Amino acid sequence: MLKTAISYAVINKRLVGWTIEFPILTSNTIFLPNINFEDVIAVLREQLHKQQEANRRKNIDPKLSPITNFELHEQYSIEALQQKFGYDANIYPIKYQII
């Protein structure tokens, strides 16, 4: 049985594309071109999947990664994102599979 998780990202539509704050994946802002919103979500899911695979190749214990360890999710919760980016931030859930 596959496990699923939900993480959260701040996603904003700009004139020339998307800006994304997704701290569970990177501390840097992610920029994407003008694509459909559904494709933005798909890109984020794909990046989470790739990070899990990279962690596995590097023999990183899944308990040390917030992507696979739910106990570390608190710092990436909706409340944490609201504190960092404001209560009016465009926060979206990203549902993904734990591999």
Side-chain angles (χ1 to χ4, degrees):
M1 184 170 114
L2 294 173
K3 293 182 185 179
T4 59
I6 297 176
S7 191
Y8 299 94
V10 177
I11 303 173
N12 291 299
K13 178 77 167 134
R14 301 287 185 226
L15 189 59
V16 295
W18 300 92
T19 59
I20 303 158
E21 302 295 341
F22 200 24
I24 198 167
L25 189 61
T26 179
S27 59
N28 298 322
T29 301
I30 300 169
F31 298 96
L32 292 176
N34 278 331
I35 56 177
N36 293 328
F37 182 77
E38 294 80 15
D39 293 334
V40 170
I41 301 301
V43 166
L44 296 177
R45 283 190 187 125
E46 180 182 341
Q47 291 304 311
L48 285 166
H49 183 80
K50 286 180 180 180
Q51 185 61 53
Q52 290 179 73
E53 288 177 342
N55 288 351
R56 184 177 291 165
R57 281 193 306 275
K58 295 176 185 175
N59 293 321
I60 295 174
D61 186 345
K63 293 178 183 177
L64 300 176
S65 172
I67 295 172
T68 52
N69 184 349
F70 303 124
E71 293 176 9
L72 302 175
H73 269 223
E74 185 175 310
Q75 62 184 325
Y76 306 105
S77 67
I78 291 175
E79 293 82 10
L81 290 177
Q82 286 175 330
Q83 287 179 355
K84 185 171 183 177
F85 299 104
Y87 289 98
D88 60 345
N90 297 317
I91 300 173
Y92 295 92
I94 310 297
K95 187 174 180 180
Y96 63 98
Q97 292 185 346
I98 303 295
I99 58 171

